[in-house]
């Protein structure tokens, strides 16, 4: 007997899709559930895409919105040009805006940053929700070291390079932060942007505005574990020395994108070293 597939998504199913996405369920999981309930594959995909990208005025418009990627701020092309070196793009994802970049740092620069950070390392903190004060919490088990913009020739060179990659003025950037994760070290999934409705975000938003993009540069290969994960899109990146992961936090309509939720998986063997650059929407003087 031939199976009959559903070709219409009822309002109950549309509500379920929106609620499931808002709760952080991956689109692939939603698609699997709908197919198990005998939905036509194309119909299910269109319903999920519409919930992700917005309701279109006509079926053709919905189809176009799902096929036209939002490139974000990052320059197009396979090679990004900076003042002192070219950086190759290895991978792009449309939503959230993500790119894997190769050759961002040389081996010598990676080693020098680790050496400079060692005497400054302290237990990493996170921004407190209630008061905005940096607080040590178990969601982030790493040691960190901060560097002021342009405080040395090496830092000055990397500041200029990252600003060119991220296509924002250097004074929009926070100082570089080097972090070391030992065995078992992790950072539970979180957002890099400041939650606008949280009291603790207000002091940070007042000095440079919202964070808009992140560049994580990897200083060391990890023997096992330590991936940078985006759980809501089932994407993970395996650290590789000299490469970087670029991502933004806004969707095509300018809203803060919950799909940018990300974290650092536990290091299973060896160490994980990274250096992070955050960019603000205005000049940052902190």
């Amino acid at each position: 007997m031939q199976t009959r597939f559903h070709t219409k998504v009822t309002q109950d199913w549309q509500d379920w899709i929106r609620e499931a996405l808002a709760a952080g369920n991956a689109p692939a999981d939603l698609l699997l559930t709908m197919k198990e309930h005998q939905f036509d594959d194309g119909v299910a995909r269109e319903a999920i895409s519409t919930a992700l990208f917005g309701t279109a005025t006509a079926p053709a418009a919905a189809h176009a919105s799902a096929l036209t990627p939002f490139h974000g701020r990052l320059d197009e092309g396979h090679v990004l040009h900076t003042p002192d070196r070219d950086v190759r793009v290895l991978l792009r994802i449309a939503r959230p805006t993500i790119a894997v970049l190769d050759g961002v740092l040389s081996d010598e620069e990676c080693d020098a940053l680790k050496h400079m950070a060692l005497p400054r390392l302290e237990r990493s903190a996170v921004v407190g929700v209630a008061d905005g004060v940096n607080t040590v919490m178990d969601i982030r088990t790493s040691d960190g070291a901060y560097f002021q913009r342009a405080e040395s020739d090496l830092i000055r060179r990397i500041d200029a390079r990252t600003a060119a990659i991220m296509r924002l003025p250097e004074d929009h950037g926070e100082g570089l932060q080097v972090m070391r994760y030992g065995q078992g070290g992790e950072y539970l999934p979180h957002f890099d942007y400041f939650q606008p409705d949280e009291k603790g975000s207000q002091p940070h938003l007042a000095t440079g505005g919202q964070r808009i993009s992140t560049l994580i540069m990897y200083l060391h290969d990890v023997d096992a574990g330590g991936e940078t994960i985006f759980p809501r899109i089932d994407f993970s990146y395996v650290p590789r020395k000299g490469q970087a992961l670029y991502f933004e936090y806004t969707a095509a309509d300018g809203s803060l994108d919950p799909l940018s939720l990300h974290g650092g998986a536990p290091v299973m063997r060896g160490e994980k070293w990274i250096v992070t650059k955050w960019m603000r929407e205005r000049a940052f003087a902190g």
Side-chain angles (χ1 to χ4, degrees), residues 1 10 63 133 138 142-143 156 166 173 182 212 223 238 246 265:
M1 182 176 178
T10 64
H63 183 65
V133 175
D138 288 341
S142 64
D143 298 316
R156 186 179 298 108
M166 303 171 83
I212 56 177
D223 294 336
V238 176
Y246 171 86

Side-chain angles (χ1 to χ4, degrees), residues 12-257:
D12 287 346
W13 274 100
Q14 292 175 23
D15 293 341
W16 175 82
I17 292 170
R18 286 195 296 271
E19 291 170 2
L21 290 171
N25 291 282
D29 292 337
L30 273 63
L31 178 61
L32 181 61
T33 298
M34 293 183 73
K35 291 173 71 173
E36 289 174 347
H37 284 77
Q38 309 305 319
F39 275 95
D40 175 77
D41 181 83
V43 170
R45 288 178 183 274
E46 183 175 352
I48 295 169
S49 294
T50 300
L52 283 170
F53 292 98
T55 302
T57 56
H63 183 65
S65 70
L67 295 179
T68 304
F70 171 56
H71 291 293
R73 184 176 296 275
L74 195 70
D75 202 2
E76 297 185 9
H78 300 321
V79 178
L80 309 180
H81 303 290
T82 79
D84 63 336
R85 68 192 295 135
D86 287 344
V87 172
R88 183 165 294 277
V89 180
L90 300 183
L91 175 147
R92 291 181 188 265
I93 294 175
R95 186 180 177 206
T97 301
I98 298 175
V100 176
L101 309 177
D102 191 40
V104 175
L105 298 173
S106 68
D107 283 355
E108 293 75 18
E109 288 171 334
C110 291
D111 295 341
L113 284 168
K114 289 166 58 178
H115 179 75
M116 290 169 57
L118 272 173
R120 302 192 190 188
L121 289 175
E122 296 181 352
R123 175 69 188 273
S124 298
V126 298
V127 175
V129 173
D131 55 14
V133 175
N134 288 337
T135 305
V136 172
M137 299 178 66
D138 288 341
I139 66 170
R140 186 184 196 183
T141 49
S142 64
D143 298 316
Y146 291 86
F147 295 90
Q148 296 296 321
R149 287 197 309 256
E151 72 167 70
S152 70
D153 288 342
L154 174 60
I155 299 300
R156 186 179 298 108
R157 187 165 69 244
I158 296 174
D159 282 341
R161 190 182 306 158
T162 55
I165 291 171
M166 303 171 83
R167 300 180 74 188
L168 284 164
E170 287 185 45
D171 65 2
H172 285 224
E174 298 182 30
L176 293 172
Q177 182 188 53
V178 175
M179 283 167 280
R180 178 186 65 183
Y181 293 81
Q183 187 164 328
E186 65 179 325
Y187 196 173
L188 297 182
H190 61 281
F191 297 108
D192 275 4
Y193 58 76
F194 302 112
Q195 296 283 359
D197 57 345
E198 290 179 355
K199 183 178 179 181
S201 297
Q202 303 315 307
H204 299 277
L205 292 170
T207 55
Q210 183 62 272
R211 283 178 176 168
I212 56 177
S213 58
T214 297
L215 187 70
I216 303 175
M217 296 161 276
Y218 298 85
L219 307 180
H220 190 82
D221 291 351
V222 180
D223 294 336
E227 300 90 349
T228 299
I229 58 172
F230 287 76
R232 290 183 174 173
I233 62 169
D234 291 335
F235 172 73
S236 65
Y237 166 80
V238 176
R240 185 170 180 82
K241 186 176 183 179
Q243 291 188 353
L245 188 66
Y246 171 86
F247 56 98
E248 300 177 12
Y249 333 130
T250 53
D253 63 0
S255 62
L256 293 171
D257 192 348

